[in-house]
Amino acid sequence: MRIEVPAAIEERDLAHRPLTPDDLKHRTQPLVLRGLVSDWPMVEAARVSDTAFARLLAQTDSGEEVDVLLMAPEEEGVIGYNAALDGFNYEHHRVPVTQGLKRLAAYSRESGEVPGLAVQSALMRRCTPSLLETHRLPFLAPSIEPRLWIGNRVTTPVHFDEYHNIACVTCGQRRFTLFPPEQVGNLYIGPLDFAPTGAAISVARPDRPDDPRYPRLRDALKHAQQAELSPGDALYIPPMWWHHVASLQRINALVNFWWRPVQTEGASPQTGLGALLHAIVAFRSLPDAERAAWRTLLDHYVFDDADPLSHVPDARKGVLGEPTAEDIAALRERIRDYL
């Protein structure tokens, strides 16, 4: 059976057209940014050797403990569930960055299969604060903080983030396989409220498209886009795009930036997942006619681009107009009363 080869993600030649904030503001497709962070100290050290990279991080380690996942060799480095889907396939630890690096170095010297190890979402402001100023993106607001991810040959299964995301490879290589949001029905996503590291993941593996348990996965792969990134390269991932990330070397590192632009302070919730979970509880078990009625209301007030209150003066449109931060705060209190 023929295996679908994902299309290449579009690339930007930064030498001829530098990136600006407006380039990503309304972008709906992923974009590879070759060499975006090639002048970062971490990248320059990684080009010398893995040891030079690790030494730089160790020298700047504040001692702050970070989240580390440790997987048995038989898990093949894939973060996920245990066989019964009633727990996860890793041990969770809190250790300083340097301790994680020492363990990675030890594994790199072993022959055969080794445990998978992944430092997850470590705020550089806390764990490597002296590197903060030299590892930023000038077109992003200073409040958008870089996070550090380090590991060996580990894989993060298909998942999505609600935020704009720029992922910058600083050591090793990573393969990104992306799927547009509408492929959710073909990706076999696990429980929304019980997921490794908090992000709902696919229980199907894109590298195993012939698994008979997941026949629709092949349809998803027809819409996939893929790119391999080396140190200094970056990838822009739009909100809600599903992505599968495979680290390919014995030591890999990535720095990412998440952000969500808002027009009114407080207007955008910290996470839309809470709203989704509440909608499931509120609507999914209703009789068909009531569910259809609520679907109509949600389309009308939330998802339709037309102004549902065009017949009402602007000053009286409330949350559907141009609410102030105070209006949003009052509405949040009202929502808490409902709950």
Side-chain angles (χ1 to χ4, degrees):
M1 185 178 292
R2 186 172 67 89
I3 296 177
E4 296 292 338
V5 177
I9 298 174
E10 179 186 347
E11 299 195 11
R12 166 72 64 85
D13 183 352
L14 298 177
H16 294 89
R17 186 183 168 194
L19 195 68
T20 69
D22 289 340
D23 287 332
L24 303 181
K25 188 174 182 180
H26 301 294
R27 187 174 179 86
T28 60
Q29 294 287 319
L31 182 65
V32 172
L33 304 163
R34 296 287 180 193
L36 178 69
V37 296
S38 58
D39 60 344
W40 278 5
M42 261 196 270
V43 173
E44 293 173 346
R47 288 188 179 129
V48 175
S49 66
D50 290 345
T51 300
F53 168 81
R55 184 179 296 119
L56 174 64
L57 286 187
Q59 290 171 346
T60 58
D61 184 5
S62 69
E64 174 90 7
E65 292 186 340
V66 298
D67 292 305
V68 177
L69 309 184
L70 188 65
M71 289 161 282
E74 56 267 25
E75 299 296 339
E76 301 179 326
V78 180
I79 299 171
Y81 295 96
N82 61 18
L85 264 70
D86 60 0
F88 307 130
N89 69 342
Y90 55 79
E91 299 174 0
H92 175 253
H93 301 275
R94 295 274 299 172
V95 301
V97 168
T98 300
Q99 187 171 332
L101 290 168
K102 288 179 178 178
R103 183 69 68 90
L104 284 173
Y107 291 159
S108 71
R109 293 189 292 268
E110 294 183 16
S111 59
E113 299 298 321
V114 299
L117 186 151
V119 173
Q120 296 276 290
S121 192
L123 280 169
M124 289 179 61
R125 170 172 52 84
R126 296 178 179 174
C127 64
T128 56
S130 64
L131 291 178
L132 194 61
E133 290 307 314
T134 54
H135 293 79
R136 287 193 177 277
L137 296 178
F139 53 85
L140 294 182
S143 59
I144 301 171
E145 296 196 70
R147 294 171 179 268
L148 182 62
W149 310 70
I150 311 170
N152 50 8
R153 291 183 176 90
V154 296
T155 297
T156 302
V158 174
H159 66 288
F160 77 88
D161 300 311
E162 301 176 52
Y163 312 100
H164 295 265
N165 185 9
I166 294 183
C168 308
V169 172
T170 58
C171 183
Q173 290 184 309
R174 297 200 183 209
R175 180 186 300 121
F176 291 80
T177 306
L178 274 59
F179 302 86
E182 59 268 23
Q183 288 304 308
V184 59
N186 294 327
L187 289 171
Y188 298 91
I189 305 303
L192 294 176
D193 52 347
F194 181 65
T197 71
I201 66 167
S202 172
V203 296
R205 289 179 53 167
D207 60 331
R208 296 180 179 178
D210 294 326
D211 190 324
R213 296 173 297 175
Y214 312 117
R216 296 192 306 276
L217 180 60
R218 280 192 168 275
D219 292 328
L221 288 167
K222 293 176 183 177
H223 301 273
Q225 299 182 35
Q226 191 173 88
E228 286 192 15
L229 273 60
S230 298
D233 296 336
L235 173 65
Y236 169 68
I237 305 175
M240 310 302 291
W241 272 68
W242 299 93
H243 48 288
H244 175 275
V245 188
S247 298
L248 306 178
Q249 305 296 326
R250 61 184 183 178
I251 296 182
N252 306 269
L254 177 145
V255 172
N256 92 300
F257 300 81
W258 280 315
W259 77 96
R260 172 182 282 166
V262 295
Q263 298 300 317
T264 302
E265 183 181 351
S268 180
Q270 186 66 23
T271 171
L273 182 59
L276 174 61
L277 293 173
H278 181 61
I280 291 171
V281 172
F283 304 135
R284 190 163 179 82
S285 62
L286 293 176
D288 290 348
E290 292 182 48
R291 289 174 62 196
W294 279 109
R295 182 183 295 113
T296 300
L297 285 179
L298 288 168
D299 285 340
H300 183 68
Y301 286 109
V302 179
F303 300 112
D304 196 324
D305 291 333
D307 181 1
L309 292 183
S310 59
H311 53 287
V312 174
D314 287 347
R316 302 306 306 162
K317 289 184 179 180
V319 70
L320 289 168
E322 296 184 2
T324 66
E326 291 75 17
D327 293 334
I328 294 295
L331 185 60
R332 288 184 185 280
E333 288 302 318
R334 186 174 179 183
I335 292 171
R336 290 189 184 97
D337 290 341
Y338 283 141
L339 294 176

